[in-house]
Amino acid sequence: MKYRFLGNTGLRVSELCMGAMTFGKGFYGIGELEQEGSTKLVKRALDGGINFFDTADIYCRGQSEQLLGQAFKDLGVHRDELVIATKVRGPMSDAAASGTGDMNNVGLSRKHIIASCEASLQRLGTDHIDLYQIHGWDELTPLDETMRALDDLVRSGKVRYIGCSNLAAWQVITANGIAKAAGGAPFVSLQAYYSLVGRDLELDLLPMCRHHGVGVMVWSPLAGGFVTGKYRRGQDSPEGSRRTTFDFPPVDRERGYDIIELLDALAKEKDSTIPRLALSWLLQQAGVSTLIVGAKKLEQLEDNLAAVDVTWTDEELERLAAASAPPNLYPYWMLANFKRT
């Protein structure tokens, strides 16, 4: 395992981050694990060199955070050895989710952010969160209110750094402009979807993050299980697989099958597996700080951990890049005309 700086910070995180979305029961059927299974995965992640763990309060309505915190306690891990990240924004009750009541238990208001942080600290069993992230945009709350509340948590010592997830480039830049003007804490990281079958991030967000030193945390690097080899052209989806009940993130399947077939050929040539190669390819991309890997079974995590040891030739990397290249949308095809040598 190698360790990378999270953006322009001095915080070093493992190039693979253990995601805890499978911890707990519920959350679109993704959460399946109880304490024993969660603790086994955390132990293997730690043994494999992972020091970075990501969760969210919305994952099974707090169960994920609670199981993750208990796993650390049961394993006797020293708090300073861990980098713990969680997120805030989602509705934390049925009434808040449906808009029928509990109106302040969702969003990015000062009230919800501070209350949610306190609840996450309690569930995780810690006195501070290393990276506290907004889970998405809140069009109903003034952005300066959100950024000030997050900065207050940093100043209080309850949060070390703040980050964001699922934002557009202009939203990240606007938020960090507000923070800079107020002398407050900026977003140091962006958690975003990026995979070999979903390279939209490269059009705008990834260049922005590189330019401004915002670290990129990749969620769903295997595209919700699509890039595992389980899904093939002309075949039914495997029974019980995640995409049979939650087909997310969206994938252009015909194009995706072409990429899977190339990965399969490369895996045979390199005595590897499709998931390892898919993860390793992403780790080669400039600006990526860490890939968030989630698992329900120990063997899935074992295979993911092996991705850090894959070696490539330039020709192999280029074959995958060419096969999976995103469309060159405007203004990027126009901007290419202005490049200077």
Side-chain angles (χ1 to χ4, degrees):
M1 187 66 64
K2 297 182 179 65
Y3 301 86
R4 304 180 177 191
F5 289 105
L6 186 63
N8 275 348
T9 74
L11 183 66
R12 298 183 70 183
V13 297
S14 48
E15 56 190 346
L16 295 182
C17 171
M18 180 74 209
M21 193 163 60
T22 58
F23 294 10
K25 294 287 185 178
F27 197 70
Y28 302 101
I30 298 170
E32 290 187 6
L33 298 175
E34 297 184 354
Q35 191 63 63
E36 182 180 1
S38 302
T39 302
K40 283 182 178 178
L41 288 177
V42 171
K43 183 179 187 306
R44 182 63 189 96
L46 291 165
D47 291 343
I50 289 178
N51 73 342
F52 196 15
F53 294 83
D54 178 76
T55 183
D57 59 2
I58 194 64
Y59 296 161
C60 303
R61 296 266 171 86
Q63 291 179 52
S64 174
E65 290 179 324
Q66 189 170 5
L67 291 168
L68 182 62
Q70 188 63 45
F72 293 141
K73 182 178 179 181
D74 292 346
L75 294 169
V77 189
H78 196 284
R79 177 63 181 89
D80 289 343
E81 297 176 6
L82 303 169
V83 180
I84 300 175
T86 192
K87 298 181 281 293
V88 58
R89 190 209 175 281
M92 292 301 290
S93 70
D94 290 343
S98 63
T100 58
D102 201 14
M103 305 305 292
N104 290 308
N105 204 4
V106 61
L108 296 174
S109 67
R110 168 179 288 274
K111 177 177 175 62
H112 186 61
I113 286 174
I114 293 176
S116 295
C117 181
E118 296 284 359
S120 290
L121 288 168
Q122 185 173 8
R123 287 190 292 262
L124 287 163
T126 183
D127 64 354
H128 69 279
I129 295 163
D130 296 297
L131 179 66
Y132 199 47
Q133 305 154 97
I134 64 168
H135 212 158
W137 188 252
D138 179 2
E139 72 281 3
L140 300 180
T141 301
L143 188 53
D144 56 351
E145 177 181 341
T146 296
M147 297 307 293
R148 181 59 185 270
L150 292 169
D151 182 56
D152 285 348
L153 288 173
V154 173
R155 292 176 185 272
S156 72
K158 294 176 181 177
V159 168
R160 299 293 189 254
Y161 301 90
I162 61 171
C164 57
S165 182
N166 304 315
L167 264 59
W170 72 265
Q171 293 170 333
V172 179
I173 294 300
T174 302
N176 279 359
I178 289 172
K180 183 177 180 180
F187 292 138
V188 303
S189 62
L190 169 70
Q191 187 174 146
Y193 169 56
Y194 188 25
S195 77
L196 269 168
V197 296
R199 292 175 56 188
D200 306 16
L201 194 76
E202 296 176 10
L203 295 175
D204 202 22
L205 280 161
L206 189 56
M208 179 275 294
C209 288
R210 289 170 180 161
H211 183 77
H212 291 280
V214 176
V216 174
M217 300 170 59
V218 175
W219 63 258
S220 206
L222 298 178
F226 186 86
V227 191
T228 58
K230 292 188 296 187
Y231 301 89
R232 298 299 183 104
R233 196 189 315 269
Q235 298 180 13
D236 292 334
S237 297
E239 187 177 348
S241 61
R242 170 174 153 184
R243 280 187 171 268
T244 58
T245 56
F246 188 56
D247 196 15
F248 182 85
V251 170
D252 179 339
R253 291 205 169 221
E254 287 307 310
R255 189 166 177 273
Y257 291 139
D258 292 339
I259 297 167
I260 295 299
E261 288 164 7
L262 175 55
L263 280 167
D264 193 21
L266 283 168
K268 289 181 172 69
E269 292 173 15
K270 299 172 71 64
D271 191 25
S272 189
T273 69
I274 290 172
R276 286 184 213 171
L277 298 189
L279 294 173
S280 179
W281 189 89
L282 290 171
L283 287 172
Q284 315 307 309
Q285 308 312 303
V288 171
S289 296
T290 190
L291 308 182
I292 302 171
V293 295
K296 295 177 182 178
K297 300 176 182 178
L298 202 57
E299 54 265 32
Q300 293 173 322
L301 180 57
E302 293 280 4
D303 190 67
N304 290 172
L305 287 168
V308 302
D309 297 319
V310 173
T311 58
W312 297 89
T313 66
D314 291 341
E315 186 271 338
E316 289 169 339
L317 289 171
E318 181 51 38
R319 283 169 67 188
L320 268 177
S324 60
N328 194 20
L329 303 176
Y330 179 83
Y332 305 102
W333 52 259
M334 191 64 181
L335 290 173
N337 294 325
F338 297 102
K339 285 189 176 179
R340 298 176 63 182
T341 58

